[in-house]
């Protein structure tokens, strides 16, 4: 499976956009003490901003970054390990109250494809969209799905991967501490960094890691940040081979040609 990367989006504490991400990923230590920026400001009207959640806004934010200045309508793959745990927590809490007062807004935001739905409406896209989850391997599963579509159905596919820390009472079940989201516009029609995927059996190689301790801690912490070895290789503009964790103990081999 082959693709060209035509656009990249990224948001995390202290980093907003690929230009800033490329600078820090090229060699600087990461500082996770910052807050997330205001997200999807151009895409979300005020009314929709009040209806959406931080997770939805984060997914829309990086999707918009990856497509900045690029014309066309793209199919999409949205990948998140758990979806919106804050909304799930609020709904579960509401069900314990008299009358079970679940908010209709919270309910429609709780489904796993809510970010994809908002994206289709706000971007005016009529193209197909897939929302998937594969626990810690959600980014890799999304990448395989995106390239599978690219090779069989579409000329361009937008991959969006995102996860947020959940409420404290769910932390022991899903111990994510830092927010992270990234988006890749994958295509067969543009020039740019090219990647090739192959699935390898367990034990074939070691999962790629990052040398700087802060980046490595983030990679381990957030399932969407499992993308960081690929993003760092792209930031450095060098060819190389990396291995990402994939389902059932397999490895996703990524050969990159900037």
């Amino acid at each position: 499976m082959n693709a060209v990367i035509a656009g990249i989006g990224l948001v995390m504490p202290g980093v907003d956009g690929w230009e800033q991400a490329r600078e820090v990923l090229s060699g600087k230590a990461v500082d996770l003490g910052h807050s997330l920026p205001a997200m999807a400001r151009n895409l979300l009207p005020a009314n929709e901003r009040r209806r959406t959640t931080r997770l939805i806004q984060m997914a829309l934010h990086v999707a918009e970054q990856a497509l900045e200045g690029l014309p066309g309508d793209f199919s999409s793959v949205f990948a998140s390990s758990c979806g919106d745990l804050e909304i799930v927590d609020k709904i579960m809490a509401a069900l314990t109250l008299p009358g079970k007062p679940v908010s209709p807004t919270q309910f429609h935001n709780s489904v796993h494809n809510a970010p994809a739905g908002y994206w289709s409406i706000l971007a005016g896209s009529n193209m197909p969209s897939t929302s998937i989850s594969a626990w810690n391997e959600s980014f890799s599963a999304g990448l395989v799905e995106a390239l599978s579509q690219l090779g069989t159905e579409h000329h361009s596919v937008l991959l969006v991967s995102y996860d947020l820390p959940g409420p404290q009472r769910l932390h022991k079940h899903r111990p994510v501490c830092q927010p992270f989201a990234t988006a890749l516009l994958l295509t067969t029609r543009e020039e740019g960094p090219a990647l090739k995927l192959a699935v390898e059996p367990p034990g074939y190689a070691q999962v790629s890691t990052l040398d700087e301790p802060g980046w490595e801690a983030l990679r381990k912490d957030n399932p969407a940040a499992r993308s960081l070895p690929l993003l760092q290789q792209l930031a450095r503009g060098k060819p190389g081979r990396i291995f990402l964790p994939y389902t059932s103990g397999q490895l996703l081999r990524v050969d990159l040609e900037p």
Side-chain angles (χ1 to χ4, degrees):
M1 293 185 283
N2 302 272
V4 170
I5 301 173
I8 305 174
L10 192 149
V11 68
M12 54 171 281
V15 176
D16 185 18
W18 179 239
E19 290 304 316
Q20 190 177 5
R22 184 162 52 186
E23 180 181 354
V24 295
L25 278 167
S26 294
K28 291 187 177 181
V30 60
D31 181 1
L32 299 175
H34 299 277
S35 300
L36 286 175
M39 292 180 288
R41 289 164 293 189
N42 299 324
L43 194 62
L44 277 172
N47 286 341
E48 292 301 326
R49 182 174 294 279
R50 287 190 290 269
R51 288 164 56 86
T52 55
T53 66
R54 287 201 310 151
L55 186 81
I56 294 171
Q57 292 172 14
M58 189 168 64
L60 296 178
H61 190 67
V62 294
E64 188 178 25
Q65 288 178 347
L67 298 184
E68 186 174 3
L70 296 173
D73 197 5
F74 312 99
S75 62
S76 57
V77 176
F78 284 73
S80 176
S81 72
C82 288
D84 205 321
L85 291 179
E86 290 185 2
I87 288 293
V88 171
D89 181 64
K90 289 177 180 178
I91 291 176
M92 295 298 103
L95 291 175
T96 68
L97 300 175
K100 300 179 175 57
V102 175
S103 160
T105 299
Q106 290 180 359
F107 181 77
H108 88 251
N109 283 336
S110 69
V111 295
H112 198 71
N113 67 345
Y118 274 102
W119 170 256
S120 297
I121 294 169
L122 295 170
S125 175
N126 294 316
M127 295 294 286
S129 182
T130 303
S131 296
I132 64 175
S133 173
W135 199 238
N136 285 336
E137 290 74 47
S138 293
F139 173 77
S140 295
L143 189 58
V144 170
E145 173 66 20
L147 264 74
S148 297
Q149 292 188 20
L150 197 66
T152 57
E153 300 178 56
H154 308 292
H155 292 297
S156 298
V157 181
L158 175 67
L159 168 63
V160 187
S161 182
Y162 48 95
D163 274 296
L164 271 177
Q168 186 59 40
R169 69 174 122 197
L170 297 180
H171 184 75
K172 66 179 180 180
H173 303 290
R174 195 51 172 135
V176 174
C177 298
Q178 297 291 341
F180 187 94
T182 189
L184 301 175
L185 177 60
L186 303 166
T187 183
T188 60
R189 299 186 293 192
E190 304 287 341
E191 294 184 0
L195 58 81
K196 181 178 180 180
L197 300 186
V199 177
E200 304 292 357
Y204 179 87
Q206 296 294 316
V207 169
S208 298
T209 58
L210 296 102
D211 294 334
E212 204 283 318
W215 285 115
E216 177 60 12
L218 178 60
R219 185 192 71 82
K220 292 180 177 179
D221 172 69
N222 189 307
R226 301 298 200 277
S227 61
L228 278 170
L230 171 59
L231 294 170
Q232 186 177 71
Q233 199 73 22
L234 286 166
R236 292 175 174 174
K238 297 179 180 179
R241 171 174 291 180
I242 64 169
F243 294 93
L244 302 177
Y246 192 49
T247 58
S248 303
Q250 299 175 101
L251 294 170
L252 186 61
R253 191 186 81 210
V254 184
D255 293 310
L256 185 64
E257 298 178 2

